[in-house]
């Protein structure tokens, strides 16, 4: 199977693409990133553009509710803002549907998400879990849940394929399993060959962005690093940009 090398990959003609890594409740940095992007687009008089958010809007950070609300407004204003689902976003919905004290949401940052809706998530016993779940389910607006449920798992522009976690090597892009797109790690990260397109992803936090022949990882662990990273694709030009907590 032939593939595309990062150095040869091009974005779609006339469209600049920004791909933003995992947000994890840092709506402050998300606003800063959008402001910088808007400044660039105005400065360069870009003919057209897309902003692709690679998922994990929620958990661990201080304002998951605010991040969802911000992106809902951004998408409503302009459909060129695209938001993909991450495993934490799906885990949040799973908890709202059926609370699991050992699930992703409960064990990996869901308490911070609940606090952003004004709910203190207590799971020390079954009664506390049921009570917390009822409070959270009542506090999360239906519009937030509908927004998360409708998020796609992938997008593609030019020679680049965007998803949260990665793809299963050897499987056609259009046949990727939805769970792989938000969960896969080792089989994808360790694969040395080229893919049909360069995969732009998050999900696996790194101290620095990873730019490899077959993939680009822009998850710089915002919840502990305070840095949100994006890949910018403009024709044959590719570059990274970031915003940090000051």
């Amino acid at each position: 199977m032939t593939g595309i090398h990062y150095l040869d990959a091009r974005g779609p003609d006339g469209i600049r693409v920004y791909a933003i890594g995992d947000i994890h409740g840092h709506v402050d940095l998300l606003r800063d990133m959008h402001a910088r992007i808007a400044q660039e687009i105005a400065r360069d008089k870009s003919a057209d553009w897309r902003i692709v958010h690679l998922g994990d809007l929620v958990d661990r950070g201080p304002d998951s509710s605010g991040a969802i609300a911000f992106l809902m407004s951004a998408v409503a204003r302009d459909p060129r803002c695209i938001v993909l689902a991450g495993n934490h976003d799906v885990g949040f919905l799973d908890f709202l549907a059926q609370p699991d004290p050992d699930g992703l949401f409960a064990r990996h940052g869901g308490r911070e998400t609940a606090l952003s809706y004004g709910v203190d998530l207590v799971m020390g016993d079954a009664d506390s879990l049921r009570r917390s779940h009822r409070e959270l389910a009542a506090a999360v607006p239906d519009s937030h849940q509908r927004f998360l449920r409708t998020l796609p798992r992938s997008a593609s522009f030019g020679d680049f394929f965007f998803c949260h976690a990665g793809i299963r090597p050897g499987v056609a892009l259009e046949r990727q399993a939805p769970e792989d797109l938000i969960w896969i790690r080792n089989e994808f990260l360790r694969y040395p060959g080229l893919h049909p397109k360069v995969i732009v992803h998050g999900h696996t936090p790194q101290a620095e962005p990873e730019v490899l022949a077959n993939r680009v990882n822009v998850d710089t662990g915002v919840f502990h690093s305070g840095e949100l990273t994006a890949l910018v694709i403009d024709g044959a030009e590719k570059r990274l940009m970031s915003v940090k907590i000051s």
Side-chain angles (χ1 to χ4, degrees), residues 135-175:
E135 292 175 0
L136 183 59
V140 178
D142 289 343
S143 59
H144 286 206
Q145 297 188 53
R146 287 196 302 272
F147 179 72
L148 294 178
R149 280 197 295 268
T150 60
L151 297 182
R153 300 286 175 102
S154 66
S156 184
F157 294 100
D159 294 328
F160 296 87
F161 182 86
F162 305 85
C163 59
H164 176 64
I167 66 165
R168 187 163 295 278
V171 176
L173 296 178
E174 65 273 14
R175 296 180 59 195

Side-chain angles (χ1 to χ4, degrees), residues 174-207:
E174 65 273 14
R175 296 180 59 195
Q176 291 290 321
E179 289 302 289
D180 280 341
L181 292 170
I182 64 170
W183 276 106
I184 199 167
R185 274 207 170 99
N186 290 340
E187 301 95 324
F188 167 66
L189 298 175
R190 295 174 180 171
Y191 184 73
L194 299 180
H195 301 297
K197 295 191 176 189
V198 175
I199 312 302
V200 183
H201 67 97
H203 184 56
T204 302
Q206 301 292 321

Side-chain angles (χ1 to χ4, degrees), residues 3-236:
I4 300 285
H5 193 288
Y6 174 79
L7 294 178
D8 300 319
R10 294 182 57 92
D13 290 341
I15 301 177
R16 180 182 292 179
V17 181
Y18 295 85
I20 301 174
D22 304 34
I23 297 160
H24 283 300
H26 276 276
V27 69
D28 50 348
L29 293 178
L30 181 60
R31 289 193 188 100
D32 290 348
M33 180 69 82
H34 272 247
R36 280 195 56 185
I37 290 171
Q39 290 169 0
E40 285 198 0
I41 290 171
R43 179 195 68 200
D44 300 337
K45 298 179 173 58
S46 300
D48 201 359
W49 51 268
R50 300 292 186 277
I51 304 175
V52 182
H53 305 80
L54 296 173
D56 277 7
L57 318 183
V58 304
D59 294 349
R60 295 176 169 153
D63 195 359
S64 293
S65 174
I68 294 172
F70 178 89
L71 288 173
M72 287 173 60
S73 296
V75 170
R77 285 194 307 271
D78 198 315
R80 290 177 292 186
C81 285
I82 298 164
V83 184
L84 305 181
N87 60 314
H88 281 264
D89 310 313
V90 174
F92 182 24
L93 291 175
D94 289 345
F95 184 87
L96 290 172
Q98 183 64 47
D100 179 0
D102 297 315
L104 175 69
F105 182 80
R107 295 176 62 86
H108 297 282
R111 184 170 187 272
E112 290 82 357
T113 297
L115 286 171
S116 76
Y117 289 97
V119 175
D120 188 3
L121 196 62
V122 180
M123 297 176 292
D125 56 73
D127 288 341
S128 297
L129 174 62
R130 283 193 293 268
R131 183 171 59 253
S132 292
H133 173 257
R134 285 196 303 269
E135 292 175 0
L136 183 59
V140 178
D142 289 343
S143 59
H144 286 206
Q145 297 188 53
R146 287 196 302 272
F147 179 72
L148 294 178
R149 280 197 295 268
T150 60
L151 297 182
R153 300 286 175 102
S154 66
S156 184
F157 294 100
D159 294 328
F160 296 87
F161 182 86
F162 305 85
C163 59
H164 176 64
I167 66 165
R168 187 163 295 278
V171 176
L173 296 178
E174 65 273 14
R175 296 180 59 195
Q176 291 290 321
E179 289 302 289
D180 280 341
L181 292 170
I182 64 170
W183 276 106
I184 199 167
R185 274 207 170 99
N186 290 340
E187 301 95 324
F188 167 66
L189 298 175
R190 295 174 180 171
Y191 184 73
L194 299 180
H195 301 297
K197 295 191 176 189
V198 175
I199 312 302
V200 183
H201 67 97
H203 184 56
T204 302
Q206 301 292 321
E208 301 287 341
E210 291 182 294
V211 180
L212 304 176
N214 60 1
R215 63 180 180 87
V216 180
N217 178 6
V218 289
D219 181 3
T220 45
V222 64
F223 57 90
H224 59 76
S225 70
E227 181 172 10
L228 183 65
T229 299
L231 174 69
V232 188
I233 303 161
D234 196 350

